[in-house]
Amino acid sequence: KVMETLAILLLILFAGTLYNIIPPYIKRKKTEISFVDSLTKTGLPIIPVKSGNTQLYMLVDSGSDWSHIDKKVINEVKAKQLEGGNQISTLGGVVSAPFYQIELDVKGEKMQETCLALDFGDAFKSTEEEYGHEIHGILGISFLEQHNYVLDFDKFIAYQK
């Protein structure tokens, strides 16, 4: 009798746990982002996102540990400076970059991303001049992992798993 009661209690506990854990995963909207247009035009996987009312074009770079935002747009986006920063090696040497929490709207889904703010200077000037596509930042592996994105270069999309 004790074993039956214990088994029933464990079953109820398990069912209650599942009821509280599973629904967010079922209800979560999964976003799919195409970068076929930018890849065709520029050879680069660039995706459009918004931050507040500001339209941004972000380069998807799975080789970058962190996401980055150009300092020149930091005051135009929904951003909050965080404590700390990181040292970044660039072609011009090592620079110090502060962390910012940026609110991004990716196809209607609000996401938070920690970015390092850097002065991109002329780094993407040729992309803008040659293709008319300004790049405001880089979405690195931190973004892909945190938001469960997978890059599919057969279909030229980033999708959430």
Side-chain angles (χ1 to χ4, degrees), residues 69-110:
I69 188 86
D70 194 336
K71 276 186 176 180
K72 73 180 178 192
V73 297
I74 203 71
N75 293 323
E76 300 171 29
V77 301
K78 285 190 160 187
K80 175 185 170 191
Q81 187 167 356
L82 303 174
E83 288 188 30
N86 206 351
Q87 299 290 317
I88 306 292
S89 295
T90 68
L91 293 175
V94 177
V95 295
S96 209
F99 282 116
Y100 281 84
Q101 187 74 32
I102 310 289
E103 181 181 293
L104 298 176
D105 181 331
V106 181
K107 293 187 84 172
E109 185 178 343
K110 301 272 191 244

Coordinates of all heavy atoms in Angstrom, one line a residue, residues 69-110:
I69 N 28.6 45.8 -31.8 CA 27.7 46.9 -32.3 C 28.7 48.0 -32.6 O 29.6 48.3 -31.8 CB 26.6 47.2 -31.3 CG1 25.6 48.2 -32.0 CG2 27.1 47.8 -30.0 CD1 24.5 47.6 -32.8
D70 N 28.4 48.7 -33.7 CA 29.2 49.9 -34.1 C 28.9 51.0 -33.1 O 27.7 51.3 -32.9 CB 28.9 50.3 -35.5 CG 29.9 51.3 -36.1 OD1 30.6 52.0 -35.3 OD2 30.1 51.4 -37.3
K71 N 29.9 51.6 -32.5 CA 29.7 52.7 -31.6 C 28.9 53.9 -32.1 O 28.2 54.5 -31.4 CB 31.1 53.3 -31.1 CG 31.7 52.5 -30.0 CD 33.0 53.2 -29.5 CE 33.6 52.5 -28.4 NZ 34.8 53.2 -27.9
K72 N 29.0 54.1 -33.4 CA 28.2 55.2 -34.0 C 26.7 55.1 -33.9 O 26.0 56.1 -34.0 CB 28.7 55.5 -35.4 CG 28.2 54.5 -36.5 CD 28.7 54.9 -37.8 CE 28.2 53.9 -38.8 NZ 28.9 53.9 -40.1
V73 N 26.2 53.9 -33.7 CA 24.7 53.7 -33.6 C 24.3 53.4 -32.2 O 23.1 53.2 -31.9 CB 24.2 52.6 -34.5 CG1 24.5 52.9 -36.0 CG2 24.8 51.2 -34.2
I74 N 25.2 53.3 -31.2 CA 24.9 52.9 -29.9 C 23.8 53.8 -29.2 O 23.0 53.4 -28.5 CB 26.1 52.8 -29.0 CG1 25.8 51.9 -27.8 CG2 26.6 54.1 -28.5 CD1 25.7 50.4 -28.1
N75 N 23.8 55.1 -29.6 CA 22.9 56.1 -29.0 C 21.5 56.0 -29.7 O 20.6 56.7 -29.3 CB 23.4 57.5 -29.0 CG 24.6 57.6 -28.0 OD1 24.6 57.0 -26.9 ND2 25.6 58.4 -28.4
E76 N 21.4 55.3 -30.8 CA 20.2 55.2 -31.6 C 19.4 54.0 -31.3 O 18.3 53.8 -31.8 CB 20.5 55.3 -33.1 CG 21.2 56.5 -33.6 CD 21.7 56.4 -35.0 OE1 21.1 55.7 -35.8 OE2 22.7 57.0 -35.3
V77 N 20.0 53.1 -30.6 CA 19.4 51.8 -30.3 C 19.0 51.6 -28.8 O 19.4 52.4 -28.0 CB 20.3 50.6 -30.7 CG1 20.6 50.7 -32.2 CG2 21.5 50.5 -29.9
K78 N 18.2 50.6 -28.5 CA 17.8 50.3 -27.1 C 19.0 49.6 -26.5 O 19.1 48.4 -26.8 CB 16.5 49.5 -27.1 CG 15.3 50.3 -27.3 CD 14.1 49.4 -27.0 CE 12.9 50.3 -26.8 NZ 11.7 49.6 -26.3
A79 N 19.8 50.3 -25.8 CA 21.0 49.7 -25.2 C 21.3 50.2 -23.8 O 21.0 51.4 -23.5 CB 22.2 50.1 -26.1
K80 N 21.8 49.3 -23.0 CA 22.2 49.6 -21.6 C 23.6 49.2 -21.4 O 24.0 48.0 -21.7 CB 21.3 48.9 -20.7 CG 21.6 49.1 -19.2 CD 20.7 48.2 -18.4 CE 21.3 48.2 -16.9 NZ 20.6 47.2 -16.1
Q81 N 24.5 50.1 -21.0 CA 25.9 49.8 -20.8 C 26.0 48.9 -19.6 O 25.4 49.1 -18.5 CB 26.8 51.0 -20.6 CG 28.2 50.6 -20.6 CD 29.2 51.8 -20.8 OE1 28.8 52.9 -21.0 NE2 30.5 51.5 -20.6
L82 N 26.8 47.8 -19.7 CA 27.0 46.9 -18.6 C 28.4 47.1 -18.0 O 29.2 47.8 -18.6 CB 26.9 45.4 -19.1 CG 25.6 45.1 -19.8 CD1 25.7 43.7 -20.4 CD2 24.4 45.1 -18.9
E83 N 28.6 46.6 -16.9 CA 30.0 46.7 -16.3 C 30.9 45.8 -17.0 O 30.6 44.8 -17.6 CB 29.9 46.2 -14.8 CG 29.2 47.2 -13.9 CD 29.3 46.8 -12.4 OE1 30.4 46.2 -12.1 OE2 28.4 47.1 -11.7
G84 N 32.2 46.2 -17.1 CA 33.2 45.4 -17.7 C 33.3 45.7 -19.2 O 32.6 46.5 -19.8
G85 N 34.1 44.9 -19.8 CA 34.4 45.0 -21.2 C 35.4 43.9 -21.6 O 35.6 43.0 -20.9
N86 N 36.0 44.1 -22.7 CA 36.9 43.1 -23.2 C 38.0 43.8 -24.1 O 37.8 44.9 -24.6 CB 36.2 42.0 -24.0 CG 36.9 40.7 -24.0 OD1 38.0 40.6 -23.6 ND2 36.2 39.7 -24.6
Q87 N 39.1 43.2 -24.2 CA 40.2 43.6 -25.0 C 40.0 42.9 -26.4 O 40.0 41.7 -26.4 CB 41.6 43.3 -24.4 CG 41.8 44.0 -23.1 CD 42.0 45.5 -23.2 OE1 42.7 46.0 -24.1 NE2 41.3 46.2 -22.3
I88 N 40.0 43.6 -27.4 CA 39.8 43.1 -28.8 C 41.0 43.3 -29.6 O 41.5 44.5 -29.7 CB 38.6 43.7 -29.5 CG1 37.3 43.5 -28.6 CG2 38.4 43.1 -30.8 CD1 36.9 42.2 -28.4
S89 N 41.6 42.3 -30.3 CA 42.7 42.5 -31.2 C 42.1 42.8 -32.6 O 41.3 42.1 -33.1 CB 43.5 41.2 -31.3 OG 44.1 40.9 -30.1
T90 N 42.5 44.0 -33.1 CA 42.1 44.4 -34.4 C 43.3 44.6 -35.3 O 44.4 44.5 -34.8 CB 41.3 45.7 -34.3 OG1 42.2 46.8 -33.9 CG2 40.1 45.6 -33.3
L91 N 43.1 44.9 -36.6 CA 44.2 45.2 -37.4 C 45.0 46.4 -36.9 O 46.2 46.6 -37.2 CB 43.7 45.5 -38.9 CG 43.1 44.3 -39.6 CD1 42.6 44.7 -40.9 CD2 44.1 43.2 -39.7
G92 N 44.3 47.4 -36.2 CA 45.0 48.6 -35.7 C 45.6 48.4 -34.3 O 46.1 49.3 -33.7
G93 N 45.5 47.1 -33.8 CA 46.1 46.9 -32.5 C 45.0 46.4 -31.5 O 43.9 46.0 -31.9
V94 N 45.3 46.4 -30.2 CA 44.4 46.0 -29.2 C 43.6 47.2 -28.7 O 44.2 48.2 -28.4 CB 45.1 45.3 -28.0 CG1 44.2 44.9 -26.9 CG2 45.9 44.1 -28.5
V95 N 42.3 47.0 -28.7 CA 41.4 48.1 -28.2 C 40.5 47.6 -27.1 O 40.2 46.4 -27.0 CB 40.5 48.7 -29.3 CG1 41.3 49.3 -30.4 CG2 39.6 47.6 -29.9
S96 N 40.1 48.5 -26.2 CA 39.2 48.2 -25.1 C 37.8 48.4 -25.6 O 37.5 49.5 -26.2 CB 39.5 49.1 -24.0 OG 39.3 48.5 -22.8
A97 N 36.9 47.5 -25.3 CA 35.5 47.7 -25.8 C 34.5 47.4 -24.6 O 34.6 46.3 -24.0 CB 35.2 46.7 -26.9
P98 N 33.6 48.3 -24.3 CA 32.6 48.1 -23.3 C 31.5 47.2 -23.7 O 31.2 47.1 -24.9 CB 32.1 49.5 -23.0 CG 32.2 50.2 -24.3 CD 33.5 49.6 -24.9
F99 N 30.9 46.5 -22.8 CA 29.7 45.6 -23.1 C 28.4 46.5 -23.0 O 28.3 47.3 -22.1 CB 29.6 44.5 -22.0 CG 30.5 43.4 -22.2 CD1 31.5 43.1 -21.3 CD2 30.4 42.6 -23.4 CE1 32.4 42.0 -21.5 CE2 31.3 41.5 -23.6 CZ 32.3 41.2 -22.6
Y100 N 27.5 46.2 -23.9 CA 26.2 46.8 -23.9 C 25.1 45.6 -24.0 O 25.4 44.7 -24.7 CB 26.0 47.7 -25.0 CG 26.6 49.1 -24.8 CD1 27.9 49.3 -25.1 CD2 25.8 50.1 -24.3 CE1 28.5 50.6 -24.9 CE2 26.4 51.4 -24.1 CZ 27.7 51.6 -24.4 OH 28.3 52.8 -24.2
Q101 N 24.0 45.8 -23.3 CA 22.9 44.9 -23.5 C 22.0 45.6 -24.5 O 21.5 46.7 -24.3 CB 22.1 44.7 -22.2 CG 21.0 43.7 -22.2 CD 21.6 42.3 -22.3 OE1 22.6 42.0 -21.7 NE2 20.9 41.4 -22.9
I102 N 21.8 45.0 -25.7 CA 21.0 45.5 -26.8 C 19.7 44.8 -26.9 O 19.7 43.5 -26.9 CB 21.8 45.4 -28.1 CG1 23.2 46.0 -27.9 CG2 21.0 46.1 -29.2 CD1 23.3 47.4 -27.8
E103 N 18.6 45.5 -27.1 CA 17.3 44.8 -27.4 C 17.2 44.8 -28.9 O 17.3 45.8 -29.6 CB 16.2 45.6 -26.8 CG 14.8 44.9 -27.1 CD 13.6 45.7 -26.6 OE1 13.5 45.8 -25.3 OE2 12.9 46.2 -27.4
L104 N 17.0 43.6 -29.4 CA 16.9 43.4 -30.8 C 15.5 42.8 -31.1 O 15.0 42.0 -30.3 CB 17.9 42.4 -31.4 CG 19.4 42.8 -31.2 CD1 20.3 41.7 -31.7 CD2 19.6 44.1 -32.0
D105 N 14.9 43.2 -32.2 CA 13.7 42.7 -32.7 C 14.0 41.9 -34.0 O 14.4 42.5 -35.0 CB 12.7 43.8 -33.0 CG 11.3 43.3 -33.5 OD1 11.3 42.3 -34.1 OD2 10.3 44.0 -33.3
V106 N 13.9 40.6 -33.9 CA 14.2 39.8 -35.0 C 12.9 39.2 -35.5 O 12.4 38.3 -34.9 CB 15.2 38.7 -34.6 CG1 15.6 37.8 -35.8 CG2 16.5 39.2 -34.0
K107 N 12.4 39.7 -36.6 CA 11.2 39.3 -37.2 C 10.0 39.2 -36.2 O 9.3 38.2 -36.1 CB 11.3 37.9 -37.9 CG 12.3 38.0 -39.1 CD 12.3 36.7 -39.8 CE 11.1 36.6 -40.8 NZ 11.2 35.5 -41.7
G108 N 9.9 40.3 -35.4 CA 8.9 40.4 -34.4 C 9.1 39.7 -33.0 O 8.4 39.9 -32.1
E109 N 10.2 39.0 -32.9 CA 10.6 38.4 -31.6 C 11.7 39.3 -30.9 O 12.7 39.6 -31.5 CB 11.1 37.0 -31.8 CG 11.4 36.3 -30.5 CD 11.9 34.9 -30.7 OE1 11.7 34.3 -31.8 OE2 12.4 34.3 -29.7
K110 N 11.3 39.7 -29.7 CA 12.3 40.6 -28.9 C 13.3 39.7 -28.3 O 13.0 38.7 -27.7 CB 11.5 41.3 -27.9 CG 10.4 42.2 -28.4 CD 11.0 43.6 -28.7 CE 9.8 44.6 -29.0 NZ 9.8 45.1 -30.3

